[in-house]
Amino acid sequence: MYQFNRDDYNKRMEWYQDARFGMFIHWGLYSIPARGEWLRSTEEMSIEDYQKYFDEFDARDYDPKKWAKLAKEAGMKYVVLTAKHHDGFCLFDSKYTEYKATNTKAGRDLVKEYVDAVRAEGLKVGLYFTLLDWYHEDYPHYGDRIHPMRNNKNCGNENRDFSRYVEYFHKQVEEICTNYGQLDVLWFDFSYDDMRGEKWGATKLMNMVRTLQPQVIIDNRLEASGEGKGSLAEGNPTPYHGDFVSPEQIIPPEGVKDVNGDPLVWEACITMNNNWGYHGTDKFFKPAPMLIKKLVECVSKGGNMLLNVGPDAYGNIPEESVEILSQIGKWMKRNHDSIYGCGIANVPKPDYGRVTRKGNKYYFHMFENTIGPVPLLGLEKNKVKKIRALATGYEIPISTSWVHSDYPDIVFANLGPNPVLPDNIDYVLEVEMDD
Ligand code: FHN
């Protein structure tokens, strides 16, 4: 029986809090109609109407080695792939259903190839697993808040046995925890209304998961969703407590704290455009500079960023996403020390950007230049050991200019006469303090 142990928890979370940056991948049958992964629900589409995508799905260009390389080159340290999304289609070879990739023209266990490819790149392996299942007969249909057949009176729930559904999905979780080697992240999704906690058989599920995968990190969505924090935040961890809080499409304005005001581990999951699954007309991609600054914001508030890509019907990650990840990777190559293993700096947020910290090193992220020398708020002037431009190691002198003589307690960096910063996205000053 799993019982929360703070020391075990802290050890389990070490790599995750160091990693800071991961890739989310939403891919499945919904990538063919390309109107988002919720299209069965939003269009109240029957299984029969959706079947054509199962019949067509061939994963012809699927190459998870490419995905893993892209994630690594972007500076991402872990990847989370939808093993099964709400449509109930399994990317893995489950023996409990026929509704799986191995029964399509693809004819492959896509999860097996994925975990091998991600591990081969030295990245941590994550699998997303839906709690909802719009394919399974025993999942509530008519009257459910989001089921595709929620308004169809012919889809009543009289003969549905939810406990049979719970047993089914537990068996599938056991399969993914048994057949694919060590899992590093298990991303359940999501609880809603009374469908949470023990309704999912959560204690039994997590006892099994923690027996098979004792090191795995799980999100908080057996008891919450993108809303709500979960029992760890309440200081009363259930056996199925989330290891991290999972705000969605938002960066918590003040980070995430528990009832005692102590920082919680959290991860903001964010799409590159406005859809998780591939969407043929959604070209509203967030520019790389914006995403770099948002990653810095997450880290400065003690969190991770899980940035999503939605491969197309064939398995190709959209060119726009590839380009954005390439730009992020260029910045990360020069500045990853200000991200990996960093967190809340506990100094005032500067007007020109943000601050992250790792031990006795503070990273001042300059999204814009200042008028005059750069104030490094919150540092004890006489304890500053050295200042370097992180990207190049270039020595940055402490300013002795008269212009800031009215602020003797603030240390200022002298960037010289050029008003244009060497990095127009985020120029990082590494300030090392005496121990
Ligand atoms: O319904 C899902 C959605 O499709 C997507 O997978 C996101 C990712 O966090 N989670 C749920 C919405 O909160």
Side-chain angles (χ1 to χ4, degrees):
M1 177 78 175
Y2 173 78
Q3 290 293 331
F4 179 73
N5 174 294
R6 174 64 63 180
D7 290 342
D8 293 347
Y9 171 76
N10 290 341
K11 183 143 186 51
R12 186 164 76 237
M13 301 307 288
E14 270 174 14
W15 75 261
Y16 182 78
Q17 289 195 274
D18 188 77
R20 289 303 185 211
F21 189 28
M23 177 184 274
F24 214 171
I25 306 176
H26 280 70
W27 188 47
L29 301 182
Y30 45 77
S31 306
I32 297 173
R35 300 192 294 275
E37 74 288 350
W38 267 62
L39 89 149
R40 268 212 67 203
S41 177
T42 50
E43 299 177 15
E44 299 191 30
M45 187 185 289
S46 70
I47 285 179
E48 294 72 24
D49 289 345
Y50 196 65
Q51 182 60 27
K52 55 181 169 292
Y53 306 124
F54 180 93
D55 298 338
E56 187 178 324
F57 186 77
D58 64 10
R60 67 183 71 170
D61 291 342
Y62 177 56
D63 180 356
K65 294 188 183 73
K66 272 190 197 166
W67 294 1
K69 278 187 181 4
L70 195 61
K72 184 168 187 177
E73 285 162 12
M76 293 161 156
K77 291 288 191 178
Y78 62 106
V79 188
V80 180
L81 167 69
T82 51
K84 184 173 93 165
H85 204 265
H86 310 333
D87 61 0
F89 176 70
C90 299
L91 274 63
F92 63 102
D93 185 15
S94 170
K95 65 182 180 190
Y96 299 103
T97 181
E98 294 312 308
Y99 206 49
K100 57 188 177 178
T102 40
N103 284 358
T104 66
K105 289 175 187 166
R108 298 149 78 173
D109 185 326
L110 303 171
V111 166
K112 176 73 177 73
E113 293 180 46
Y114 155 81
V115 298
D116 291 346
V118 170
R119 278 191 201 108
E121 287 298 330
L123 304 180
K124 295 288 192 180
V125 170
L127 288 176
Y128 164 112
F129 191 88
T130 178
L131 297 172
L132 297 64
D133 189 316
W134 297 331
Y135 183 81
H136 199 280
E137 271 306 300
D138 287 318
Y139 196 90
H141 288 45
Y142 181 64
D144 177 78
R145 180 145 67 83
I146 47 185
H147 194 283
M149 296 298 109
R150 58 192 176 278
N151 296 317
N152 185 334
K153 287 193 169 55
N154 299 323
C155 294
N157 301 312
E158 303 72 34
N159 302 316
R160 300 188 201 285
D161 177 348
F162 191 69
S163 65
R164 228 175 11 214
Y165 165 68
V166 170
E167 186 184 353
Y168 163 73
F169 97 74
H170 278 211
K171 285 286 185 193
Q172 288 193 321
V173 172
E174 187 176 24
E175 285 183 308
I176 59 174
C177 287
T178 305
N179 302 336
Y180 299 97
Q182 177 173 313
L183 301 182
D184 301 295
V185 180
L186 196 45
W187 219 99
F188 289 113
D189 195 26
F190 63 93
S191 289
Y192 63 104
D193 302 344
D194 67 341
M195 306 288 268
R196 64 184 69 244
E198 290 308 346
K199 185 81 183 242
W200 305 120
T203 297
K204 184 176 177 216
L205 179 74
M206 282 315 300
N207 284 337
M208 177 264 289
V209 168
R210 294 225 182 272
T211 302
L212 294 170
Q213 299 277 351
Q215 78 299 322
V216 77
I217 290 172
I218 72 155
D219 68 337
N220 65 337
R221 296 195 178 191
L222 280 169
E223 50 186 6
S225 63
E227 300 168 274
K229 296 180 184 175
S231 55
L232 194 55
E234 292 147 16
N236 180 23
T238 61
Y240 45 87
H241 68 79
D243 290 326
F244 62 89
V245 179
S246 57
E248 180 170 324
Q249 303 286 41
I250 190 168
I251 297 175
E254 298 174 318
V256 184
K257 297 182 179 67
D258 66 15
V259 282
N260 304 315
D262 295 323
L264 277 169
V265 180
W266 60 272
E267 170 196 84
C269 53
I270 294 166
T271 54
M272 275 201 193
N273 51 10
N274 294 303
N275 280 273
W276 299 100
Y278 181 71
H279 194 291
T281 58
D282 178 357
K283 300 299 180 185
F284 302 109
F285 287 87
K286 301 169 184 72
M290 174 187 179
L291 289 167
I292 289 166
K293 292 171 190 172
K294 297 311 168 190
L295 172 60
V296 170
E297 181 177 353
C298 287
V299 177
S300 73
K301 294 176 177 176
N304 288 19
M305 184 162 89
L306 188 63
L307 183 58
N308 183 75
V309 295
D312 65 20
Y314 300 149
N316 300 300
I317 292 177
E319 268 312 305
E320 297 92 338
S321 299
V322 172
E323 175 53 31
I324 288 165
L325 288 170
S326 167
Q327 287 181 53
I328 293 173
K330 286 193 182 76
W331 183 88
M332 282 292 281
K333 275 187 181 56
R334 297 190 301 270
N335 299 285
H336 58 71
D337 282 354
S338 68
I339 299 293
Y340 300 146
C342 294
I344 301 167
N346 287 316
V347 296
K349 179 191 173 304
D351 296 332
Y352 52 79
R354 294 188 180 275
V355 189
T356 58
R357 177 186 177 185
K358 183 176 182 179
N360 67 336
K361 290 186 176 177
Y362 290 77
Y363 298 94
F364 286 79
H365 297 259
M366 298 187 69
F367 301 158
E368 60 180 27
N369 205 345
T370 51
I371 298 294
V374 184
L376 306 178
L377 296 174
L379 302 185
E380 280 191 62
K381 200 168 183 179
N382 59 359
K383 290 192 175 175
V384 174
K385 192 172 178 183
K386 62 180 180 180
I387 306 173
R388 295 288 184 272
L390 179 61
T392 59
Y394 173 64
E395 183 179 21
I396 305 276
I398 290 177
S399 169
T400 55
S401 168
W402 67 270
V403 300
H404 49 70
S405 58
D406 289 346
Y407 322 107
D409 296 335
I410 298 176
V411 55
F412 288 78
N414 176 2
L415 299 190
N418 189 344
V420 178
L421 291 173
D423 186 322
N424 63 6
I425 299 174
D426 177 9
Y427 184 55
V428 185
L429 306 184
E430 180 184 72
V431 183
E432 185 173 346
M433 305 299 283
D434 286 329
D435 290 331

